[in-house]
Amino acid sequence: MKEPSLLLLLFLTSLLCSLTKAGLTVSPSRSQFFEGYSVSLSCEEDNSSAGWTVRRNTTRETRTQCGDGWGKPAGSTCNISYLYPSDSGVYWCEWREGAASSSIQLTVTGGSVILQSPVLPVMEGDDVTLSCHTKTAPSNLPAAFYKDGSLIRTEPAGHMTLHHVTSSDEGLYRCSISAHGESPSSSISVSGQ
């Protein structure tokens, strides 16, 4: 009698995990941050966010959850009030039954330049704007933009738009501002429609 009920429980758990999909949202919506800034990471699901936890992998730790030496949990949200470069890593939502959201890469720099780019994959055909920012100066300084190590172009106002993106636009992007330095690299991925 125990075997059928255990099989039913396993079936229902796997069904629930396959039906339950959460997404991790980042506020402010970016993948690069300056040291000392704050961020909120939220697990959002269509029906409810209950039971979801934010987890991460960094160079120091693996699969640790919010509140385990980093961040402050508030329901299915994790608030990090002061970011350090050691907070750089892969973040995702995990449900208590084992299901997980797709992951995102966050980079925290002690440097003076960041690249503002989409956190999540962008849809094929969309326009994507990349912005180069310094920690102290106005955000409209001329900036050079690079893809996979090669210069794309220099933009006078520090913003570059990729029009009607395709899979050929996928890659590692970074930017630099003269006399301020360069940003870390961020990956841009494109998903089909």
Side-chain angles (χ1 to χ4, degrees):
M1 189 67 176
K2 288 182 182 176
E3 274 188 48
S5 61
L6 179 60
L7 289 174
L8 179 62
L9 179 63
L10 287 172
F11 170 75
L12 291 175
T13 300
S14 66
L15 180 63
L16 186 59
C17 288
S18 65
L19 294 176
T20 308
K21 280 282 189 210
L24 179 61
T25 59
V26 181
S27 181
S29 182
R30 61 176 58 164
S31 59
Q32 293 186 10
F33 294 86
F34 292 115
E35 181 176 4
Y37 281 39
S38 62
V39 66
S40 289
L41 305 158
S42 300
C43 300
E44 295 182 353
E45 194 246 329
D46 292 338
N47 303 329
S48 164
S49 57
W52 290 94
T53 303
V54 178
R55 291 189 177 272
R56 76 179 187 181
N57 287 340
T58 66
T59 54
R60 292 180 168 184
E61 55 205 9
T62 304
R63 286 199 73 243
T64 57
Q65 70 179 38
C66 180
D68 242 1
W70 64 275
K72 185 175 182 181
S76 62
T77 297
C78 182
N79 298 305
I80 306 176
S81 59
Y82 191 103
L83 287 164
Y84 295 94
S86 59
D87 290 312
S88 297
V90 177
Y91 290 75
W92 72 95
C93 295
E94 195 169 288
W95 198 49
R96 59 179 166 246
E97 299 298 330
S101 70
S102 55
S103 61
I104 59 170
Q105 174 79 38
L106 296 184
T107 303
V108 182
T109 179
S112 59
V113 178
I114 60 169
L115 174 68
Q116 191 168 330
S117 63
V119 177
L120 300 172
V122 295
M123 294 299 292
E124 189 171 2
D126 284 355
D127 291 346
V128 175
T129 299
L130 306 176
S131 302
C132 202
H133 296 277
T134 65
K135 193 170 187 174
T136 55
S139 60
N140 57 352
L141 295 172
F145 290 88
Y146 301 83
K147 177 189 173 204
D148 297 330
S150 297
L151 176 67
I152 303 169
R153 64 182 176 265
T154 299
E155 290 288 343
H159 307 284
M160 180 183 75
T161 300
L162 304 171
H163 296 283
H164 312 294
V165 295
T166 65
S167 59
S168 65
D169 292 304
E170 292 184 323
L172 285 175
Y173 288 80
R174 66 180 170 84
C175 66
S176 66
I177 296 176
S178 182
H180 291 276
E182 69 179 42
S183 73
S185 294
S186 278
S187 177
I188 291 183
S189 57
V190 179
S191 59
Q193 293 187 4

